[in-house]
Amino acid sequence: MSDFNGASFSSGFKWLLGLAALMIVLGALKVAEAIVVPMLLAIFIAIICAPPLAWMTSHKVPPWLAILLLVFTLMIFSWVLVLFVGSAIDTFTLRLPTYQARLQEEAVKLLPFFERLGLPVTREQFLNHFNPGSLMRLAGNALTNLGGLLTDLMLIVFVVIFLLMEATLLGDKLHKALPSAEHSLEQADDFVRKVNKYLVIKTTISIATGFLITTWLWFLGVDFAPLWGLVAALMNFIPNVGSIIAAVPAVLLSIVQLGLPDAALVAAGYIAVNVLMGNVLEPRYMGTGLGLSPLVVFLSLMVWGWMFGPAGMFLSIPLTMIVKIALEQSPSTRWVAIMIGN
């Protein structure tokens, strides 16, 4: 009996020790947010760039030329983002007070409807409990944080360059450093391949989502259509709630700018695009086993968002998916991957 209690105590102590170590690591990452976020984004971009880099090198393109082509593409993309998206964010921020005031005026028009339902509500009570202008302000703050992240884009690109240069040599280094670790290297290759598959497919679908949303909003005449397309592409990395978060500012703006009928068309476009991408194309190409339970998605948003702010919310699901794929590689931790999966 004493041996059983001792074993239980030892097992429980190990779990508590592991939990305490996890809290310390998370706290350290929170403190180092200014360094960790650009590094995580750089790793994220480098993983996406790894397949085209491997394809070019396998087709006799010199590694230095392949990296140069990828870097040139990244630089052009970064320049376009900083130039157009940055200016759009600045313009939207300047117009934000006007949008908020007009949105409040539209919301107050609902008061006669509540009176007909036998729910007399004053203007002050209504705006205190339901103020759509505050939602627009939250969207403005999130876009301001996104603009601040764009200022770190050049630093991120430089880190990506060095990561890609290292990636071309990493395989040879590992084989020389660990000549008897073929099984471990096979597991590492399988892990990297699954992470590449997830990120590349998810990024491709997110870009397509952003393009379709931009086209639809531009067709309807909504201001800052490319900006809302970028937001939709970024939020597509967050399943279930990401599409709702992305649609809110565009729908509110369309109410102010175009009126309720066209705002309903905007919302319908968001629903159609996300049903097509999230329920048809993504499951078809992603396959089974690359999903997370809704509870894990919500907790991931809370934890990573607390640690790294809006950038953490964007990275929350890719980071959690990478953790899940890593847990699947070992029989002793595969049960955890099953529990957090969908």
Side-chain angles (χ1 to χ4, degrees):
M1 186 70 178
S2 60
D3 292 339
F4 176 77
N5 291 334
S8 300
F9 175 78
S10 176
S11 177
F13 180 75
K14 288 179 180 178
W15 276 99
L16 287 175
L17 191 62
L19 184 61
L22 178 63
M23 293 297 103
I24 293 172
V25 171
L26 293 178
L29 291 174
K30 171 68 175 175
V31 173
E33 175 184 351
I35 299 174
V36 174
V37 171
M39 283 296 301
L40 288 175
L41 288 171
I43 294 172
F44 176 78
I45 296 172
I47 291 174
I48 297 172
C49 293
L53 176 63
W55 182 86
M56 285 188 285
T57 53
S58 66
H59 285 73
K60 309 303 182 184
V61 178
W64 65 269
L65 180 58
I67 293 174
L68 187 63
L69 291 173
L70 284 174
V71 168
F72 179 75
T73 304
L74 286 174
M75 294 290 285
I76 294 297
F77 182 71
S78 302
W79 179 76
V80 170
L81 273 181
V82 172
L83 183 64
F84 290 100
V85 177
S87 62
I89 291 174
D90 292 339
T91 306
F92 177 78
T93 304
L94 289 175
R95 297 183 186 178
L96 188 58
T98 303
Y99 289 146
Q100 286 181 275
R102 293 177 60 183
L103 197 57
Q104 287 180 356
E105 293 174 3
E106 293 293 329
V108 169
K109 293 179 182 178
L110 296 174
L111 291 178
F113 173 74
F114 289 123
E115 290 179 357
R116 287 196 297 270
L117 293 177
L119 300 171
V121 180
T122 65
R123 175 190 174 96
E124 290 74 18
Q125 290 174 332
F126 180 75
L127 292 179
N128 284 336
H129 293 88
F130 177 72
N131 188 353
S134 62
L135 295 177
M136 189 67 81
R137 185 171 60 252
L138 288 175
N141 293 337
L143 291 175
T144 301
N145 291 328
L146 176 61
L149 193 61
L150 290 178
T151 59
D152 296 331
L153 207 53
M154 296 308 297
L155 171 63
I156 294 171
V157 169
F158 277 111
V159 176
V160 170
I161 294 172
F162 290 108
L163 288 173
L164 292 176
M165 292 172 62
E166 190 68 22
T168 60
L169 304 172
L170 186 60
D172 293 336
K173 284 185 175 181
L174 288 175
H175 280 90
K176 290 180 180 179
L178 304 170
S180 61
E182 287 297 326
H183 178 66
S184 298
L185 291 175
E186 288 177 3
Q187 282 188 323
D189 289 340
D190 183 55
F191 167 72
V192 172
R193 186 171 61 253
K194 288 182 178 179
V195 171
N196 272 334
K197 176 186 176 182
Y198 170 77
L199 290 182
V200 169
I201 293 176
K202 193 69 176 178
T203 301
T204 303
I205 290 177
S206 296
I207 292 173
T209 299
F211 175 76
L212 291 175
I213 291 295
T214 300
T215 304
W216 180 243
L217 295 182
W218 174 80
F219 174 76
L220 293 176
V222 180
D223 289 342
F224 311 109
L227 180 60
W228 307 128
L230 175 63
V231 172
L234 294 177
M235 290 295 102
N236 191 64
F237 284 90
I238 304 174
N240 304 323
V241 298
S243 57
I244 299 174
I245 297 173
V248 167
V251 171
L252 292 177
L253 179 60
S254 62
I255 292 174
V256 171
Q257 183 188 349
L258 306 174
L260 283 175
D262 285 335
L265 289 177
V266 170
Y270 270 91
I271 294 172
V273 169
N274 284 284
V275 167
L276 173 65
M277 294 297 172
N279 296 337
V280 179
L281 293 181
E282 186 171 318
R284 177 181 178 182
Y285 291 103
M286 195 78 75
T288 59
L290 286 178
L292 296 170
S293 75
L295 177 61
V296 172
V297 169
F298 180 72
L299 293 177
S300 298
L301 287 173
M302 290 182 60
V303 173
W304 294 110
W306 167 75
M307 289 176 60
F308 302 137
M313 294 183 68
F314 162 65
L315 291 170
S316 61
I317 305 307
L319 288 173
T320 307
M321 272 303 309
I322 291 173
V323 171
K324 178 177 179 288
I325 293 171
L327 292 171
E328 290 174 345
Q329 303 305 304
S330 174
S332 61
T333 56
R334 192 166 295 142
W335 67 272
V336 182
I338 294 173
M339 292 301 296
I340 67 177
N342 60 354

